[in-house]
Amino acid sequence: MSASKSARGTTSSLPAKKTILAKLTSYQSKPTDETFPELPDILIWVRMILGVFYGISLGLRNQVGWVGMLFALNVTTMLPTVYVSAFLGADPENFKQGLTFVGVPNAMATCLLVWIIVFTYQHEDEESAFARAVVQKVADTVTNSGKEEEIIGGSEADGGASTATAETPGEGAAAPAEDTEF
């Protein structure tokens, strides 16, 4: 007897999922906030999935620049919007959240994150060479900063008498020749 109750319990949850899928795939069903309240949440997830796939595509194609972001915005905004309006026949104004831009910032952030991860993974050697160059530059700057002060500021042992000062033109420095071009 308990087996039949559990069987009934599992079958009662299946139609709920099927109805959401049925609502999502019904041509010209004209859903509203009352008939299909899950539609904004579904659109958020669809846009996130589109963002992930488009981010992978951008990374694998080694796309750089603002054009990739512009097309990502188009893909994550327009494809679901066209599907909802043309296939489902929904009016975005019938929903409290609105359907046009719901989930677009999340999808764009996901796309950008995935794009950066895939692109960086493909250019691991260049990224590590850049990191080494940055570390070397910082180390050179830190180690040379004390020497520059010593050269410019003079030695403290002689009381600063041997300081080398940088003179600007007009303050005692020799003016450049007239025919010298920079």
Side-chain angles (χ1 to χ4, degrees):
M1 182 88 170
S2 65
S4 63
K5 287 184 180 180
S6 66
R8 282 188 224 151
T10 57
T11 57
S12 65
S13 66
L14 290 177
K17 291 181 182 178
K18 188 176 180 183
T19 58
I20 291 174
L21 184 60
K23 289 178 186 179
L24 190 62
T25 57
S26 297
Y27 180 71
Q28 292 297 320
S29 61
K30 299 190 185 322
T32 63
D33 200 18
E34 292 82 28
T35 61
F36 196 11
E38 303 89 0
L39 186 59
D41 295 333
I42 291 172
L43 281 180
I44 291 171
W45 283 104
V46 166
R47 286 182 167 138
M48 295 280 281
I49 292 168
L50 284 172
V52 166
F53 285 126
Y54 198 71
I56 291 171
S57 170
L58 289 173
L60 291 177
R61 291 184 291 132
N62 292 326
Q63 180 76 33
V64 295
W66 62 273
V67 175
M69 287 303 298
L70 182 66
F71 281 111
L73 181 65
N74 283 336
V75 166
T76 59
T77 304
M78 297 311 292
L79 285 180
T81 302
V82 168
Y83 176 79
V84 166
S85 63
F87 185 80
L88 294 179
D91 183 18
E93 302 301 321
N94 288 339
F95 289 85
K96 293 175 188 170
Q97 293 177 317
L99 298 178
T100 307
F101 294 108
V102 65
V104 171
N106 302 352
M108 290 300 295
T110 303
C111 179
L112 186 60
L113 178 68
V114 171
W115 181 12
I116 290 169
I117 290 170
V118 171
F119 189 87
T120 303
Y121 183 72
Q122 283 194 325
H123 298 90
E124 201 169 334
D125 296 335
E126 295 154 355
E127 190 256 338
S128 61
F130 176 71
R132 282 192 304 271
V134 168
V135 168
Q136 183 63 39
K137 183 66 174 174
V138 169
D140 290 346
T141 302
V142 168
T143 57
N144 290 337
S145 66
K147 293 178 182 177
E148 290 175 6
E149 289 177 12
E150 191 174 67
I151 294 170
I152 294 173
S155 161
E156 290 185 22
D158 62 359
S162 64
T163 58
T165 59
E167 297 176 347
T168 58
E171 292 183 355
E178 294 289 326
D179 58 345
T180 306
E181 292 184 26
F182 291 105

